[in-house]
Structures are given as structure tokens and as C-alpha cells.
Amino acid sequence: MTVRYPPIEPYEHGMLDVGDGNRVYWESCGDPAGKPALVVHGGPGSGCSTGVRQLFDPSRYRVVLFDQRGCGRSTPHASDPDTDMRLNTTEHLLADIERLREHLGVERWLLYGGSWGSTLILAYAQRHPERVSEIVIPAVTTTRRVEIDWLYRGVGRFLPAEWERFRDVVPEAERDDPVAAYARLVENPDPVVREHAVRQWCAWEDAVVGGEPNGRPGAYGGRPPAARTALVRIAAHYFSHGAWLPEGVLIREAGRLAGIPGVLIHGRLDLSSPLDTAWHLSRAWPDATLEVIDDAGHLGSDTMRATILSALDRFATT
């Protein structure tokens, strides 16, 4: 078992008014005078977790965590069908991060996060490279449409029965784009239709990660009902729009990250996000190194956590 830092509690927290009627939850942990680091959670729509605090040395880091719009403790919550998803896009989240940085008086910060979090980190860093000191990303994704199609269609080659159950929720005429169809289903006025779509989306996600060496049952479907609904509604919303990013832009424009040290940490057995995305990003980003973890999938492993801890400890002194 990888040794982590002891559990810690925030020394401050709050709700930041980011406009559009949205309030974003944030918290700061560790040393108020320490090196600033921002944790960017995945999903999209997962909300931040307490365990990630333990990856940072609390005597050297000022760790900031926040719940992205619509999830976690942020309001309004996407589990409420009346919450307007048009006010929740990648551009909104990028603006929220900048507003949070200004609110906290941070000049530059290290960025940490994986999966969807890595997409948001890369988009933010390419928009504001002068605000980023270093980047550490486990489970690299860039939310290209080809990556989305792989996760919600291509992986079905390995899990045909589970994928058919996922697909068959969608009306036959809409199966060419199951993600867009699910995005419509979770907006259906009938709560029974919405809940069925949420459960089947989570069942598919659970099947994909469940076969990993460190997979666990209910990684998605085992969440509390409101959290599960928000996750699926936000994820389907973002993925059906390709995260509002030009295809391949985060790899194509990775040269904008020149001068920012980065560590990409990716599981060789990651079925959700195959290794080639991390590989191509590492080739396009001059100051990034890629660590391939042979015993890890999307959910990581002790080896991956040890590699993350090593990278964060190393950057704590720079």
C-alpha cells in the first residue's frame, strides 16, 4: 500500500459567486504560505474528493480544491432538472478557475488532475501559461471526439454484452451517436426515463473500469443518487459537444506549454483512455515527461500513486 500524507482538513473554504447564478465551492488545505497547487477533478461532474488532499505534503503546499459548476457542493446542482446546462461549458469553467485564482490572490500555481481534469488543465494552461508553474497529470485525456467515440463505442469490442445494454437504451434511430442520445435522455421530462439513462450510463462506465487490475465495483453507479445524476448529466452534456474544443487542439497547441515542466503518468492497461493520447501529448509538449505504469488502468495503482507522490514532492521545492 502506498504511503500517503496524513488526512487533513481545510483551513478555509467558501462559495465563490462566479456569475450566471452559480456559486462554486472551494477549499484550501495545508500551509497557507506554501506553494499554491490547484486540484482539478475529473468527470466532468465528479466533484473533488478528500483523498486527493493526501497526495500533497501539507507542510509545503497550499492545496486548493474546488467543485466545478453543477456538482459536489457547488450550486445550482445538476441533479436538479431545472438547472440550466447552457451555463455549464468549458469556457465557463476556465473563467471560474481564473476567478478563483484572483479571489485567492494566487500569482502562479501547480495544476494537478487526471481524466477530464487533464483536459481542463491543458485548456487552462494553454490559455494562461503565465499562471502555471508545473503540471502533474495521471490518466491523460484531451476529450477529442475520437477519444469519446472510443470510450462509448470502441471499447464495446471488449465488452459486447455490456455495450449492447448501454446502446439499447437509445432509440434505434439515434444509435449512430449514443452520447448525444444519452444527453437528450437525461433531459427528458419523465424522471423515470432520466433515471434509467443515468443507471445504464453508470453501468457501462463501471464495466469498462471493472476489469482493470485495481477495478472496483460501483465506481460510478455506487455514488449517492444526486451525485450520480449530476455526473451523468454533466458528462453527457460535455461529451456530446466535444467539450466545445476544436478536434485535437490541446495536442496541436501543446507548444504553448513550453517552459512549464510537466509529468504525465498513464496506466498501460487504461481501457478508458488508451496510452496513445498521453504519448502524442508528450511528443508535442517540450517540457513534459511521460511515465507509463505497467500495472495500472484508469483508476490507478499503488505504483501510479507512488509516481504521483514523487512528482509532487519534487515540485514542492521548485
Side-chain angles (χ1 to χ4, degrees):
M1 181 68 68
T2 302
V3 176
R4 303 191 192 194
Y5 289 100
I8 54 175
E9 294 298 320
Y11 63 81
E12 64 176 349
H13 61 89
M15 297 291 288
L16 180 65
D17 186 344
V18 293
D20 308 314
N22 278 266
R23 290 165 58 83
V24 167
Y25 172 83
W26 63 270
E27 62 184 37
S28 295
C29 308
D31 181 0
K35 177 171 184 163
L38 178 70
V39 174
V40 183
H41 68 69
S46 288
C48 60
S49 66
T50 58
V52 74
R53 302 171 185 164
Q54 295 177 252
L55 297 173
F56 296 84
D57 183 342
S59 69
R60 295 191 290 176
Y61 274 108
R62 174 190 180 188
V63 187
V64 178
L65 300 91
F66 74 107
D67 290 327
Q68 294 160 32
R69 290 190 181 207
C71 67
R73 287 148 288 189
S74 295
T75 61
H77 204 260
S79 61
D80 180 348
D82 291 331
T83 297
D84 188 352
M85 297 303 294
R86 293 174 299 177
L87 302 175
N88 195 333
T89 70
T90 302
E91 282 298 321
H92 287 103
L93 299 187
L94 294 175
D96 293 349
I97 293 173
E98 262 300 90
R99 189 169 299 199
L100 179 60
R101 183 191 63 77
E102 293 169 355
H103 175 73
L104 297 175
V106 172
E107 184 67 23
R108 297 169 74 229
W109 46 12
L110 176 148
L111 304 180
Y112 171 82
S115 195
W116 159 254
S118 65
T119 296
L120 194 54
I121 282 171
L122 293 167
Y124 175 84
Q126 291 180 21
R127 178 78 58 85
H128 303 285
E130 74 284 357
R131 300 303 182 189
V132 181
S133 56
E134 300 91 8
I135 296 173
V136 177
I137 295 176
V140 179
T141 74
T142 64
T143 316
R144 292 174 295 171
R145 287 163 179 79
V146 66
E147 295 171 54
I148 297 165
D149 187 66
W150 167 260
L151 178 55
Y152 297 103
R153 187 196 307 272
V155 180
R157 299 177 187 179
F158 299 95
L159 300 161
E162 293 85 350
W163 188 79
E164 281 192 9
R165 283 195 289 272
F166 172 74
R167 180 204 64 189
D168 288 352
V169 175
V170 174
E172 190 168 354
E174 300 178 39
R175 290 178 185 172
D176 285 346
D177 191 346
V179 174
Y182 266 87
R184 290 188 289 271
L185 288 170
V186 295
E187 300 297 333
N188 192 285
D190 186 341
V192 174
V193 172
R194 296 197 303 267
E195 176 61 18
H196 184 58
V198 165
R199 288 186 178 277
Q200 292 305 311
W201 179 288
C202 289
W204 169 246
E205 297 274 15
D206 284 341
V208 174
V209 299
E212 294 184 357
N214 298 288
R216 61 183 186 272
Y220 295 88
R223 300 173 188 228
R228 185 175 63 219
T229 297
L231 170 64
V232 175
R233 191 177 179 208
I234 294 171
H237 174 60
Y238 273 73
F239 295 159
S240 65
H241 289 92
W244 300 273
L245 295 169
E247 183 72 354
V249 68
L250 297 180
I251 295 175
R252 190 166 59 250
E253 298 294 325
R256 295 180 58 81
L257 304 177
I260 301 174
V263 179
L264 309 176
I265 306 165
H266 204 87
R268 190 179 298 280
L269 306 178
D270 191 333
L271 196 59
S272 301
S273 307
L275 178 59
D276 63 330
T277 295
W279 170 259
H280 291 305
L281 178 62
S282 72
R283 298 291 290 261
W285 180 356
D287 297 282
T289 60
L290 173 61
E291 302 282 348
V292 179
I293 310 301
D294 287 334
D295 69 348
H298 199 69
L299 298 181
S301 67
D302 284 348
T303 308
M304 179 177 278
R305 282 183 284 277
T307 306
I308 293 168
L309 283 162
S310 176
L312 292 174
D313 283 349
R314 185 168 72 251
F315 285 146
T317 59
T318 60

